[in-house]
Amino acid sequence: MIAELRRFVRVLRVFLHILAGLPVALIAASSRHPERMAQFWFRGLIQILNLKLDIKGQRPAQAALLAGNHVSWLDIAVVVAAHPVIFVSKA
């Protein structure tokens, strides 16, 4: 019973976080640094999901290109939470 209640609360928190992210996305679209707002939002999502983000090594000091093959849907959340980025699609 307790585990089901915790799961329900976590799903509710994710839903509310996504709902709160919609106005944040609209504000970020006209912002000078939308990647910072995305980083803040994704860090909140990772916290709600109770994930631990452990960054090893140095982050790039200058602009960098990162090409990755997705392993899961969490890849985007982790990359954005770790460093402010802007995504582009090959499509």
Side-chain angles (χ1 to χ4, degrees), residues 8-24 41 44-45 48:
F8 173 76
V9 169
R10 182 163 291 151
V11 168
L12 181 62
R13 286 181 67 200
V14 168
F15 175 75
L16 292 174
H17 190 72
I18 290 170
L19 196 60
L22 295 175
V24 171
W41 189 86
L45 180 64
I48 290 170

Side-chain angles (χ1 to χ4, degrees), residues 8-85:
F8 173 76
V9 169
R10 182 163 291 151
V11 168
L12 181 62
R13 286 181 67 200
V14 168
F15 175 75
L16 292 174
H17 190 72
I18 290 170
L19 196 60
L22 295 175
V24 171
L26 292 174
I27 294 168
S30 62
S31 171
R32 291 187 67 184
H33 298 287
E35 66 277 3
R36 296 282 182 194
M37 295 182 83
Q39 183 180 27
F40 176 77
W41 189 86
F42 276 106
R43 282 184 179 175
L45 180 64
I46 284 177
Q47 183 181 21
I48 290 170
L49 296 175
N50 201 26
L51 298 174
K52 181 183 174 192
L53 182 59
D54 187 17
I55 301 169
K56 297 183 183 199
Q58 294 291 326
R59 296 180 195 171
Q62 299 175 352
L65 176 65
L66 172 68
N69 190 10
H70 294 292
V71 176
S72 77
W73 66 272
L74 287 172
D75 292 354
I76 293 171
V78 170
V79 169
V80 175
H83 193 71
V85 296

